Amino acid sequence: MKLDILVFGAHPDDAELGAGGTIAKEVSRGKKVGIIDLTRGELGTRGTPEIRDDESAKAAEILGIAVRENMEFADGFFMNDRAHQSEIIKMVRKYRPEIVLCNAIDDRHIDHARGSKLVSDACFLSGLVKIDTKMEGEDQWQEPWRPKTVYHYIQWKNLEPDFAVDVSNHIEKKTQAIMAYSSQFFDPNSEEPETPISSKNFIDSVNYRARDLGRLVGVEYAEGFTVERFLAVDNLDCLI
């Protein structure tokens, strides 16, 4: 299956929090979108890997994406090394996306920046013809593939975005997808330990960040992204 957009997240719920509105919008436009989670979030204070598996499947259904996979890398301990890069290269070559979205380039959780660089490096290496890869259980060598561009969504830290996507008509679906992770986010009846993301203030902040960014660009809600290199546009109308 060839995808138009492939979204990577270090943990289940990263993609929804950082780019859920954009994902929902692109799906509504007929784009084929997939999500790959690098870990099962097994070091998370709340919930279990099994619970988060179920939650991520529910969120995927809400967003209407074409596919979701989990790399099952070690939460907190995966590295940006050859072994992990090779596994990401296999996924990029498998799905051949035009656009890749991935974690924030700098953030509170160490897995976010590390995952961001891992995916970005692997996207470059995936285009090199002398790197040979095969999917497990298959005999055929994969063809090289390099996405046209890699964009990084914004997470805990208030990074300055390079561009914003109007998600005004899709903020409700983003919220529904986030709240599919009921083990992780605000629940006044939960007896689980409190974490930085389980407070009402955190879940509210996802909404008011989108509203504030929307205010800055003249829409109701927006999501911000950073880029690694200058963007090229076909004409000035593309900037409106």
Side-chain angles (χ1 to χ4, degrees):
M1 180 192 301
K2 185 185 185 315
L3 297 175
D4 299 300
I5 302 169
L6 184 56
V7 187
F8 286 90
H11 313 102
D13 73 31
D14 282 355
E16 289 86 352
L17 286 166
T22 301
I23 293 169
K25 182 173 187 174
E26 294 299 336
V27 170
S28 75
R29 297 178 61 235
K31 298 293 186 179
K32 287 186 178 179
V33 182
I35 296 177
I36 294 180
D37 303 306
L38 301 186
T39 77
R40 296 175 73 198
E42 62 270 21
L43 294 184
T45 302
R46 295 160 67 106
T48 66
E50 292 75 20
I51 288 172
R52 298 188 77 172
D53 289 346
D54 291 341
E55 291 171 341
S56 64
K58 184 184 295 185
E61 184 176 353
I62 291 169
L63 292 173
I65 60 174
V67 65
R68 186 167 205 157
E69 295 198 41
N70 195 299
M71 303 299 297
E72 299 190 12
F73 294 164
D75 189 11
F77 294 98
F78 70 83
M79 301 298 294
N80 182 13
D81 58 16
R82 183 171 183 170
H84 289 83
Q85 289 167 357
S86 294
E87 294 305 309
I88 299 298
I89 289 170
K90 291 177 186 178
M91 293 296 103
V92 173
R93 289 177 172 180
K94 176 181 178 179
Y95 291 114
R96 297 173 292 151
E98 303 297 323
I99 297 171
V100 163
L101 307 180
C102 60
N103 286 99
I105 59 172
D106 179 31
D107 213 43
R108 169 185 167 273
H109 198 301
I110 60 173
D111 280 353
H112 294 172
R114 185 190 297 134
S116 174
K117 191 68 166 61
L118 166 62
V119 170
S120 179
D121 289 351
C123 284
F124 175 81
L125 294 170
S126 183
L128 300 181
V129 297
K130 292 187 177 180
I131 294 178
D132 295 325
T133 57
K134 288 181 182 178
M135 295 299 297
E136 186 176 352
E138 295 187 6
D139 295 328
Q140 187 174 355
W141 294 102
Q142 292 181 303
E143 292 293 325
W145 181 270
R146 183 175 294 148
K148 291 179 179 177
T149 189
V150 176
Y151 300 137
H152 303 263
Y153 47 82
I154 295 172
Q155 298 184 259
W156 183 273
K157 292 187 177 180
N158 289 323
L159 304 183
E160 183 175 352
D162 293 311
F163 70 92
V165 176
D166 178 5
V167 297
S168 301
N169 294 328
H170 306 277
I171 194 68
E172 184 176 346
K173 186 158 285 190
K174 171 183 173 130
T175 302
Q176 291 172 356
I178 291 171
M179 296 312 296
Y181 295 90
S182 55
S183 71
Q184 301 301 303
F185 301 117
F186 179 68
D187 177 359
N189 299 315
S190 175
E191 296 181 359
E192 293 264 24
E194 290 295 319
T195 71
I197 65 170
S198 69
S199 69
K200 188 174 186 302
N201 183 40
F202 174 78
I203 206 67
D204 287 345
S205 75
V206 176
N207 183 279
Y208 61 64
R209 170 187 275 170
R211 292 200 69 173
D212 190 53
L213 185 55
R215 173 186 64 85
L216 292 174
V217 298
V219 300
E220 190 171 359
Y221 292 94
E223 288 177 337
F225 297 85
T226 64
V227 301
E228 299 180 5
R229 57 186 174 85
F230 288 123
L231 296 177
V233 297
D234 182 60
N235 55 67
L236 294 180
D237 289 340
C238 295
L239 296 171
I240 299 175

